[in-house]
Amino acid sequence: MAFHKRSWLTGWAAAATALLGARTAHAAGFPGDEPTHKVVYQINDADPAHIEHILNSISAVLGKYVDDVAVAIVAFGPGIHLLATQPGRPMPEVLRQRVKGMADNYGVQLIACGNTMKSLKWGRQDIIAQAEIEQVGAAALMELQEKGYSYIAW
């Protein structure tokens, strides 16, 4: 059987295209790839029942999409107490522990509004270690939406 460069190159190109196509079609299935689904939740209320509903929704989203979803929570106004290290308002510790667990175990991004913290005279020590602080919570919501996150307000 004679070796034909053209046949070999055509076969190689077809195989490479198939592999690259498969890689693109299953992009979110590979470690380090950006997830297909992205969602940001707004928490601006300190009512425990309200927050529990939001955390239940986040749990459902994490359960449905497993490793193919990025979830962020932006807390501002009274909702910032969910991320507090010390209770400033009545906030069940179970909710604080739950949101910490979501960050630690599922990579949920927690964002605290710096403006709200400033108005409360809070510093970094007043917010749980899992949370990052953004100067303006509303701007963080906007920027996440610009990155393709779907915005969920309760």
Side-chain angles (χ1 to χ4, degrees):
M1 177 177 237
F3 176 75
H4 297 284
K5 285 184 187 176
R6 182 175 291 179
S7 296
W8 181 81
L9 286 174
T10 303
W12 184 85
T17 301
L19 287 173
L20 291 174
R23 173 75 165 99
T24 302
H26 297 41
F30 292 91
D33 287 345
E34 187 170 324
T36 305
H37 310 283
K38 297 182 272 187
V39 62
V40 57
Y41 286 81
Q42 165 186 304
I43 295 184
N44 65 343
D45 190 321
D47 176 50
H50 177 84
I51 291 173
E52 186 171 10
H53 288 298
I54 294 171
L55 297 182
N56 288 344
S57 176
I58 293 169
S59 292
V61 167
L62 290 169
K64 179 173 180 165
Y65 296 109
V66 190
D67 292 332
D68 195 17
V69 64
V71 178
I73 296 172
V74 178
F76 55 90
I80 200 147
H81 294 281
L82 177 64
L83 304 180
T85 55
Q86 300 296 320
R89 286 185 176 228
M91 179 68 59
E93 187 59 27
V94 67
L95 294 179
R96 285 198 183 100
Q97 291 304 317
R98 191 169 170 198
V99 80
K100 286 179 189 179
M102 287 177 166
D104 291 340
N105 300 317
Y106 300 100
V108 172
Q109 182 181 11
L110 306 176
I111 300 169
C113 175
N115 279 342
T116 300
M117 291 176 61
K118 185 177 178 181
S119 71
L120 294 170
K121 297 182 181 9
W122 285 8
R124 176 70 202 150
Q125 72 281 358
D126 297 304
I127 294 292
I128 60 174
Q130 293 84 347
E132 59 189 88
I133 301 167
E134 290 288 335
Q135 183 179 359
V136 180
L141 283 172
M142 178 184 67
E143 291 168 4
L144 286 166
Q145 288 176 80
E146 291 169 350
K147 292 177 184 175
Y149 280 70
S150 297
Y151 170 61
I152 307 294
W154 227 262

